[in-house]
Amino acid sequence: MQTVAIVDFSFGNLRSVHNALCSLAGPDVDIQIATEPSAIEQADRVVFPGQGAARHCMLALRQKGLADAVLNAARDRPFLGICMGMQVLMEYSEENDGVDCLGMFSGRVEAFAPHVERGSRFKIPHMGWSRIEQVTHPLWENIPDQSRFYFVHSYYTAPRDKEAIAGRTDYVLPFASVIARDQVFAMQSHPEKSGEHGLTLLRNFLHWDGRC
Amino acid sequence: MGLAKRIIPCLDVDDGRVVKGVKFVDIRDAGDPVEIARRYDQEGADEITFLDITASHHDRDTTVHMVEAVAEQVFIPLTVGGGIRTVENIRTLLCAGADKVGINTAAVTNPEFVQEASDTVGNQCIVVAIDAKRISAPDAPPRWDIFTHGGRKDTGIDALEWAKKMETYGAGEILLTSMDRDGTREGFDLELTRAMSDAVGIPIIASGGVGTLQHLVDGVTEGGADAVLAASIFHFQEYTIGEAKQYMHQNGIEVRL
């Protein structure tokens, strides 16, 4: 039996992530929603979704005492960050007048600037299906390069270490839509809402040994 | 720009069942929201919108159960609108598996509700639905008002000003329905769609009046919509979502194929 912990630290779409993982997991996999540090510490894999504003999310992580458990998990187990669960892995977010984040990756989270191209305005939030240009990684297995995933966000991740980029998306500007290092893989888009390709990525995560 | 224009089928739901006759040839039960949602997903729908037309509050639990059932099996974004009046309503639906909620009348009667909702759950979850109707004379500068009660009651509020206000109050997206065109199959009110798309920086979903695939194309190219919503042309299998996407693609519109 292996356990997968979905970290509950915000008012996010945990139900969707839980549903998607349950639809893929075999009978030997226990998928739990983790609200306590102990549940994260005991899990074999950790999924770190999140939605809402950065300040609220960081506050919830610290108040619930989850921050250390999350950082520990990311050091030695397969770890998947989704949406705000990617952004708070950075050092700092511009959202809510500036928020210090977990600092697992160097770099910042920045707001999309207003942008007009060939007479049409880029709408913010970036909402809908955009392509991801893949950088070789085991979690992309069986997903064609440039496949579309579902995005909803107004801030984007700018990692300082370009080696950490595992996927790029172009909206307003080319940005790092996926970052990865060792057993951590984190994406801005929502695999649990990205149809077939998203499910493939989640399935790959459930089988991943954490090596690149 | 790399972002696909979205095609969103809309389903009316009463007491947890899809109504208004969705007809797929190989679907056993034409009212089953799970089967219908799954079919639209397979055809390539980019999102699915459920409009809850349940009359009594008592039966709204059924809608929540329906959302739970759909969200267990369909892994694309789900929006639920109709009768949402409190942050508690919103939480319940999001916890059931909805990704976004549509707020219509409650926004008009209490605009601060949109702000409260957006602050609580994030603007990415909040779709403000606007029912607009042209009130200007044919030769006068165009003006559209917000109507409530199914298009019967003029609130006297200018639709474009309202959209801007809702953006500042934290709407993440606008679902714009032309009451003049809804049900006519004559196409979107393109002048309205373009005016609103230019007026705000958040995405616009155009709705009301789709009768042909060209109407979908026009909504994007002339109306400037970020997404197009339609009901009847998909329900009766006049066109599949796949055919609609192919047609848009052939007309130079970026879609998810």
Side-chain angles (χ1 to χ4, degrees):
Chain A
M1 191 61 137
Q2 67 154 312
T3 55
V4 180
I6 304 171
V7 183
D8 180 5
F9 71 101
S10 69
F11 182 66
N13 57 347
L14 293 181
R15 178 81 174 233
S16 300
V17 176
H18 189 260
N19 283 339
L21 289 169
C22 287
S23 79
L24 299 166
D28 58 336
V29 181
D30 182 21
I31 294 167
Q32 302 177 345
I33 292 190
T35 53
E36 300 289 329
S38 61
I40 299 171
E41 279 151 17
Q42 287 158 20
D44 300 301
R45 288 166 204 281
V46 172
V47 179
F48 190 55
Q51 223 177 57
R55 180 176 303 279
H56 174 81
C57 288
M58 281 308 302
L59 203 63
L61 276 174
R62 296 215 167 94
Q63 279 175 349
K64 292 181 175 179
L66 297 169
D68 286 340
V70 165
L71 286 167
N72 286 337
R75 272 186 210 113
D76 56 11
R77 278 157 284 165
F79 185 97
L80 176 64
I82 298 172
C83 195
M84 183 53 73
M86 172 199 197
Q87 295 189 1
V88 296
L89 301 183
M90 306 307 290
E91 290 171 296
Y92 175 85
S93 171
E94 276 188 355
E95 196 174 3
N96 309 126
D97 304 318
V99 178
D100 286 327
C101 297
L102 294 172
M104 199 185 293
F105 288 83
S106 62
R108 295 157 56 93
V109 178
E110 299 179 5
F112 282 124
H115 187 65
V116 177
E117 206 171 277
R118 275 174 283 152
S120 74
R121 167 154 54 154
F122 281 75
K123 298 298 183 81
I124 311 293
H126 169 213
M127 187 180 289
W129 299 76
S130 281
R131 296 182 188 281
I132 302 178
E133 180 195 337
Q134 301 172 4
V135 175
T136 308
H137 191 283
L139 292 197
W140 292 127
E141 195 183 341
N142 295 323
I143 301 169
D145 191 19
Q146 300 284 354
S147 291
R148 290 184 188 273
F149 280 72
Y150 186 77
F151 287 80
V152 188
H153 62 127
S154 302
Y155 292 79
Y156 67 95
T157 300
R160 203 171 301 126
D161 177 11
K162 303 303 171 213
E163 291 289 305
I165 298 174
R168 290 183 182 84
T169 294
D170 199 342
Y171 189 78
V172 178
L173 75 174
F175 69 94
S177 53
V178 188
I179 53 176
R181 189 176 62 219
D182 302 328
Q183 60 290 320
V184 177
F185 187 93
M187 59 200 306
Q188 179 63 58
S189 57
H190 290 271
E192 77 282 8
K193 285 287 161 184
S194 294
E196 185 196 332
H197 296 316
L199 293 177
T200 302
L201 189 133
L202 292 173
R203 190 183 297 113
N204 292 343
F205 176 73
L206 289 174
H207 296 115
W208 185 33
D209 62 5
R211 294 199 193 124
C212 296
Chain B
M1 62 169 62
L3 178 64
K5 298 295 179 183
R6 288 167 283 155
I7 297 191
I8 306 173
C10 178
L11 299 164
D12 285 356
V13 176
D14 187 6
D15 201 16
R17 305 281 297 167
V18 173
V19 294
K20 238 185 186 177
V22 175
K23 287 181 184 163
F24 287 123
V25 279
D26 56 348
I27 274 186
R28 280 163 294 144
D29 174 356
D32 179 3
V34 177
E35 266 193 273
I36 293 163
R38 199 191 286 133
R39 167 53 93 78
Y40 281 138
D41 175 25
Q42 282 163 2
E43 286 187 1
D46 296 308
E47 296 182 24
I48 297 173
T49 290
F50 292 101
L51 183 61
D52 186 3
I53 57 168
T54 307
S56 83
H57 288 278
H58 168 74
D59 293 331
R60 290 192 180 274
D61 285 349
T62 325
T63 307
V64 174
H65 295 314
M66 180 210 76
V67 173
E68 285 174 346
V70 173
E72 273 173 23
Q73 298 194 36
V74 179
F75 301 106
I76 58 173
L78 305 175
T79 303
V80 182
I84 291 166
R85 286 186 175 77
T86 66
V87 170
E88 202 44 46
N89 292 156
I90 295 173
R91 278 183 184 277
T92 306
L93 287 165
L94 295 181
C95 287
D99 298 281
K100 308 184 222 180
V101 292
I103 303 174
N104 189 342
T105 310
V108 179
T109 50
N110 178 19
E112 282 71 27
F113 171 52
V114 173
Q115 205 157 34
E116 187 194 355
S118 182
D119 287 346
T120 310
V121 299
N123 73 341
Q124 77 284 348
C125 299
I126 305 298
V127 183
V128 169
I130 295 179
D131 292 343
K133 200 168 179 174
R134 192 182 289 254
I135 55 148
S136 49
D139 49 351
R143 175 181 160 119
W144 299 268
D145 271 8
I146 303 290
F147 278 66
T148 56
H149 298 81
R152 292 190 304 278
K153 192 179 161 203
D154 185 354
T155 62
I157 301 167
D158 180 277
L160 301 180
E161 291 306 316
W162 178 248
K164 289 185 211 168
K165 181 171 175 177
M166 288 297 98
E167 180 181 20
T168 62
Y169 276 46
E173 194 171 33
I174 285 172
L175 168 57
L176 171 63
T177 303
S178 160
M179 301 309 289
D180 300 302
R181 295 301 177 90
D182 202 27
T184 65
R185 303 173 65 87
E186 289 172 4
F188 298 118
D189 182 337
L190 296 172
E191 198 179 0
L192 166 65
T193 310
R194 171 55 73 181
M196 194 166 288
S197 185
D198 287 347
V200 297
I202 54 179
I204 302 281
I205 306 166
S207 157
V210 174
T212 68
L213 298 183
Q214 184 60 38
H215 290 153
L216 300 176
V217 170
D218 295 342
V220 171
T221 56
E222 291 182 45
D226 302 283
V228 286
L229 180 138
S232 60
I233 65 161
F234 298 131
H235 293 347
F236 297 102
Q237 284 201 315
E238 283 169 67
Y239 303 102
T240 65
I241 306 264
E243 285 165 351
K245 285 191 155 181
Q246 279 298 342
Y247 188 84
M248 290 172 81
H249 174 67
Q250 284 158 11
N251 282 272
I253 295 172
E254 191 166 349
V255 290
R256 179 178 70 110
L257 291 172

